[in-house]
């Protein structure tokens, strides 16, 4: 895209719920297109459906976009569609005066009775009745009887829609409120939108909106309808069935950079055999024309892997700082100095930041957490004997990582076990889990007194559960 040809794109969500990852992808595509041309991304909140809208959802959209980095010089808004009611009404009057719109008092049952087909669209019954505005009368657009409408789409070529099969669609409801089709076209025209990039579910609306642009004397925008996003069953992502709220991923500790990178790959790929690339490369290489029209699979496992890569790329100091909000809401008080010692151990082991809490909790709790499955897995076979020998070996050991490992290896040799098997009951006794941070570094940080106390407590619990007792 030429840097000398500035564009104006828009992201126009309805604030009826949490911020959908599909909406976030569309916003990012628009954002990158604006960045490439030195153009502008307009955020327009389509808030005319007052029964479903909430200021909370609007604030969530704005916060989520800022989290992803969509703010600053090329960002404009937010604007609110409800503020344009006078413009919508004026456009409706213009269409009526030009003979491009008419009033209709038909209800759906009337249309079905006339056509005998409940699936058929409106039959144009009121086109020439000359009805005046009044209760129960909607305003319809007079679609041309002949010819066709060609939509210039950067992804899909030039889809052609026969005007004869486009019904006379409603512009304003019987209560006077305008529909999405009219409000959207008027707002795009008044805000100088040059390119409309949105989900493919809106492709069927494009010829209707293009006819409206032309009827109102405007030059239609360049269209780009990006592919639908599907789950692992190849079903369209649904907020009722799938995890689709961007805020949920943010709350789990996904990094904005990882989420941004991953969302850009839903339908597009950078050059070469790579997926994790700097944002600057994405902005330089992305072309909306290169987006694949096939459904894009939202793979949460892959996103998680992406996030782990981004976390590991952070300097350990930044990783520790990013973990702090999760530790602050944990059910324990984390000593910052102690966590600074744990952070390098955890840095390469978490895929999302929320995992830091169960990974380090054993250090800050008075007693290790109890997980029955971990206990049963770790405390089997010669666990009691190993714990007794470990307790004895650690009683006078120099308290540093290498010596702690060497002492436990010797315990294993005496029992004919490799270190992995030997350390299992010790890990469960001290941390409460079968997996976690490197054991011997953890023991060094935990300290001799607490380590020995936990091993002794585990031995006592095993003894109490023994049939011989």
């Amino acid at each position: 895209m030429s840097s000398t040809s500035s564009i104006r794109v828009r992201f126009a969500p309805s604030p009826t719920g949490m911020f959908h990852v599909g909406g976030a992808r569309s916003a990012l595509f628009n954002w990158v297109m604006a960045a490439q041309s030195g153009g502008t991304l307009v955020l327009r909140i389509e808030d005319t459906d007052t029964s479903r809208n909430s200021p909370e959802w609007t604030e969530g959209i704005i916060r989520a976009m800022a989290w992803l980095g969509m703010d600053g010089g090329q960002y404009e808004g937010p604007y609110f569609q409800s503020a344009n009611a006078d413009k919508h009404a004026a456009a409706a009057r213009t269409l009526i005066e030009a003979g491009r719109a008419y009033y209709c008092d038909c209800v759906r049952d009337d249309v079905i009775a006339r056509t005998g087909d409940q699936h058929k669209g409106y039959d144009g019954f009121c086109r020439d009745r000359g009805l005046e505005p009044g209760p129960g009368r909607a305003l319809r657009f007079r679609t041309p009887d002949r010819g066709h409408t060609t939509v210039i789409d950067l992804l899909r070529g030039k889809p052609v829609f026969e005007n004869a099969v486009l019904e006379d669609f409603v512009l304003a409801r019987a209560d006077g409120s305008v529909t999405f089709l009219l409000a959207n076209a008027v707002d795009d025209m008044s805000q100088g939108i040059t390119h409309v990039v949105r989900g493919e579910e809106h492709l069927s609306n494009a010829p209707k909106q293009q006819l409206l642009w032309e009827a109102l004397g405007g030059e239609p925008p360049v269209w780009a309808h990006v592919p639908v996003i599907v789950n692992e069953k190849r079903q369209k992502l649904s907020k009722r069935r799938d995890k689709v709220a961007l805020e949920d991923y943010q709350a789990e500790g996904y990094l904005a950079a990882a989420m941004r990178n991953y969302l850009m790959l839903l339908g597009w790929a950078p050059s070469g055999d790579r997926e994790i690339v700097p944002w600057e490369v994405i902005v330089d290489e992305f072309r909306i024309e290169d987006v694949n029209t096939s459904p894009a699979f939202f793979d949460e496992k892959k996103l998680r892997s992406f996030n782990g890569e981004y976390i590991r790329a952070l300097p350990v100091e930044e990783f520790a700082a990013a973990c702090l909000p999760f530790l602050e809401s944990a059910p324990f008080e984390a000593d910052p100095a102690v966590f600074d010692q744990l952070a390098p151990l955890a840095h390469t082991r978490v895929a999302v930041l929320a995992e830091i809490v169960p990974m380090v909790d054993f250090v800050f709790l008075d007693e290790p957490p109890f997980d029955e499955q971990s206990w049963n897995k770790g405390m089997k076979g010669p666990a009691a004997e190993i714990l007794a020998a470990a307790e004895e070996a650690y009683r006078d050991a120099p308290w540093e990582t290498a010596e702690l490992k060497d002492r436990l290896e010797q315990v294993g040799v005496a029992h004919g076990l490799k270190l992995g098997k030997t350390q299992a009951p010790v890990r469960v006794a001290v941390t409460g889990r079968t997996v976690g941070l490197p054991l011997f570094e953890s023991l060094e940080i935990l300290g001799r007194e607490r380590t020995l106390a936990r091993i002794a407590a585990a031995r006592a619990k095993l003894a109490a559960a023994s049939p011989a007792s």
Side-chain angles (χ1 to χ4, degrees):
M1 185 172 297
S2 171
S3 60
T4 61
S5 176
S6 296
I7 66 172
R8 283 178 66 83
V9 290
R10 50 78 164 171
F11 178 56
S14 297
T16 57
M18 298 183 82
F19 196 29
H20 194 290
V21 291
R25 181 196 60 171
S26 293
L28 282 168
F29 281 6
N30 279 284
W31 177 255
V32 173
M33 290 176 65
Q36 290 174 335
S37 71
T40 303
L41 169 63
V42 175
L43 173 60
R44 186 175 71 232
I45 304 297
E46 301 201 333
D47 61 339
T48 53
D49 187 351
T50 55
S51 64
R52 299 176 61 210
N53 295 337
S54 166
E56 173 189 353
W57 304 132
T58 297
E59 293 166 6
I61 291 168
I62 295 170
R63 284 196 304 268
M65 289 181 65
W67 177 66
L68 287 174
M70 288 180 279
D71 54 13
Q74 70 191 64
Y75 171 89
E76 192 176 292
Y79 298 108
F80 293 87
Q81 190 171 73
S82 57
N84 292 338
D86 290 346
K87 293 180 180 178
H88 304 154
R93 289 193 298 270
T94 296
L95 293 171
I96 293 170
E97 292 166 1
R100 300 302 302 272
Y102 61 91
Y103 285 98
C104 170
D105 62 1
C106 294
V107 296
R108 186 63 189 153
D109 288 345
D110 295 337
V111 177
I112 295 173
R114 288 194 298 268
T115 64
D117 185 349
Q118 62 178 344
H119 301 295
K120 192 171 183 179
Y122 179 66
D123 59 356
F125 179 77
C126 290
R127 268 190 161 214
D128 301 312
R129 293 178 63 198
L131 296 178
E132 296 293 327
R137 293 178 177 177
L139 182 67
R140 289 185 180 272
F141 183 76
R142 189 184 297 272
T143 303
D145 295 317
R146 299 180 178 82
H148 58 267
T149 298
T150 301
V151 173
I152 308 299
D153 190 294
L154 294 176
L155 276 66
R156 300 164 193 278
K158 299 180 180 180
V160 176
F161 299 84
E162 296 298 327
N163 292 334
V165 300
L166 298 176
E167 68 176 13
D168 289 356
F169 51 91
V170 174
L171 299 173
R173 305 174 186 89
D175 63 4
S177 62
V178 299
T179 63
F180 159 81
L181 291 170
L182 178 59
N184 197 267
V186 170
D187 292 347
D188 282 348
M189 291 179 67
S190 66
Q191 293 178 334
I193 302 303
T194 61
H195 294 65
V196 172
V197 181
R198 58 186 183 178
E200 69 173 289
E201 63 271 20
H202 293 293
L203 179 58
S204 61
N205 292 329
K208 300 175 183 178
Q209 289 175 294
Q210 187 157 307
L211 287 169
L212 278 174
W213 274 70
E214 293 167 350
L216 291 169
E219 181 179 346
V222 177
W223 307 93
H225 291 89
V226 298
V228 66
I229 301 177
V230 297
N231 61 19
E232 60 185 3
K233 296 181 180 179
R234 298 305 187 266
Q235 301 167 319
K236 182 180 177 181
L237 282 188
S238 166
K239 61 183 179 182
R240 293 182 295 274
R241 179 184 57 237
D242 305 301
K243 192 168 97 177
V244 300
L246 193 71
E247 294 93 332
D248 288 344
Y249 289 99
Q250 185 180 0
E252 286 183 26
Y254 283 82
L255 300 182
M259 177 62 76
R260 192 170 56 202
N261 187 164
Y262 182 72
L263 289 176
M264 288 297 296
L265 301 186
L266 295 178
W268 174 80
S271 63
D273 186 20
R274 56 184 180 162
E275 293 184 308
I276 297 178
V277 292
W279 182 246
E280 295 76 16
V281 172
I282 291 176
V283 173
D284 181 60
E285 293 191 0
F286 178 78
R287 297 293 181 272
I288 191 67
E289 297 90 341
D290 295 336
V291 173
N292 196 311
T293 57
S294 299
F297 171 36
F298 187 89
D299 186 345
E300 191 175 342
K301 292 180 181 177
K302 187 173 183 178
L303 170 60
R304 182 181 174 86
S305 175
F306 263 54
N307 201 65
E309 292 283 345
Y310 269 89
I311 286 177
R312 288 187 285 277
L314 291 175
V316 68
E317 296 81 7
E318 290 185 24
F319 167 71
C323 289
L324 289 180
F326 297 89
L327 293 173
E328 289 169 355
S329 60
F332 54 79
E333 185 173 347
D335 184 321
V338 175
F339 180 68
D340 284 346
Q341 299 177 63
L342 294 168
L345 306 179
H347 188 198
T348 61
R349 289 171 169 79
V350 299
V352 294
L353 294 175
E355 291 177 343
I356 194 64
V357 173
M359 195 161 286
V360 304
D361 58 357
F362 72 95
V363 176
F364 302 109
L365 294 169
D366 293 334
E367 297 179 358
F370 177 73
D371 176 70
E372 185 174 2
Q373 184 176 0
S374 294
W375 179 269
N376 292 337
K377 185 177 180 180
M379 298 301 183
K380 59 186 179 181
E385 293 84 352
I386 291 172
L387 288 175
E391 185 177 0
E392 182 63 27
Y394 283 165
R395 199 172 301 281
D396 63 350
W399 207 256
E400 59 89 24
T401 298
E403 184 67 23
L404 295 172
K405 178 181 178 183
D406 183 63
R407 294 279 179 116
L408 198 60
E409 280 183 326
Q410 294 176 31
V411 170
V413 170
H415 288 80
L417 298 172
K418 293 183 177 180
L419 182 59
K421 294 288 186 181
T422 309
Q423 71 178 9
V426 177
R427 178 182 290 279
V428 172
V430 175
T431 72
R433 298 182 177 90
T434 55
V435 295
L437 301 182
L439 177 61
F440 304 106
E441 290 87 341
S442 298
L443 297 184
E444 182 177 346
I445 294 170
L446 189 65
R448 185 193 311 272
E449 182 179 345
R450 297 176 72 196
T451 297
L452 293 178
R454 291 184 180 191
I455 293 175
R459 290 183 60 202
K461 185 172 181 177
L462 281 173
S466 172
S469 64

